[in-house]
Amino acid sequence: HARHREINVDFQPGDVLVILGTTLVIWAVVPEWVEVPGLWTVPHSTPGLTLVGGASNAGGLFLDWARRRLAPLDEAATTSLDPSRVPVWSPYVRGERTPLHDPDRRAGVVGLDVSNGPAEVWRGAQEASGFVVRQHLELAGLLGAGSGSAGGGGPGPPVVGRRGGNRGPGGG
């Protein structure tokens, strides 16, 4: 039998929930119903609140794919890299859901050179996942909001810590 546990959290407008599982899920809590092109809008369980966000293939699906190709990988090495040496990923190995709604979109890497090692490429993959979170928050008008994270898509703080404050595809 599946066990269900309800999580009671006092969400407030401006709060953000990021769930990093196979799918990366981003929900921003807003005080009123808004339609944001590319994102989903759904009622919150608390009267008067709404959720804006969506689901992305840039979560564990992408990160696990990248990690398998970079094995063996020294996770600790990703924390002391020169950011200018980190290649920029477009993390869409199987199309993208929100906000692009493009099943044919594919991944790519910019700035990769022969001197990059697995640590730089992995850091770029982590930052690409973070870019997607940032993109959703920018579209929802909530960049800079506080967030909480949950899920099993990463080994711990390095992945969670990268979301939001990063260069992302096309960024600098």
Side-chain angles (χ1 to χ4, degrees), residues 8-125:
N8 290 317
V9 179
D10 183 26
F11 285 107
Q12 301 296 317
D15 286 347
V16 175
L17 176 63
V18 176
I19 303 169
L20 179 57
T22 300
T23 297
L24 176 63
V25 180
I26 306 105
W27 288 120
V29 180
V30 297
E32 57 192 36
W33 191 270
V34 293
E35 298 287 336
V36 179
L39 299 183
W40 301 334
T41 302
V42 298
H44 192 285
S45 59
T46 301
L49 295 180
T50 301
L51 297 171
V52 177
S56 170
N57 287 331
L61 174 80
F62 165 67
L63 292 171
D64 289 345
W65 174 87
R67 186 183 295 121
R68 284 191 308 272
R69 276 138 189 88
L70 297 169
L73 178 65
D74 177 8
E75 295 276 348
T78 66
T79 62
S80 60
L81 297 173
D82 175 357
S84 69
R85 304 235 338 104
V86 175
V88 176
W89 280 89
S90 175
Y92 312 115
V93 294
R94 191 177 72 182
E96 182 56 320
R97 296 178 220 178
T98 61
L100 304 173
H101 304 283
D102 182 357
D104 298 320
R105 187 167 296 250
R106 292 298 176 254
V109 183
V110 176
L112 182 66
D113 72 49
V114 72
S115 68
N116 289 129
E120 287 97 355
V121 178
W122 174 239
R123 172 74 177 263

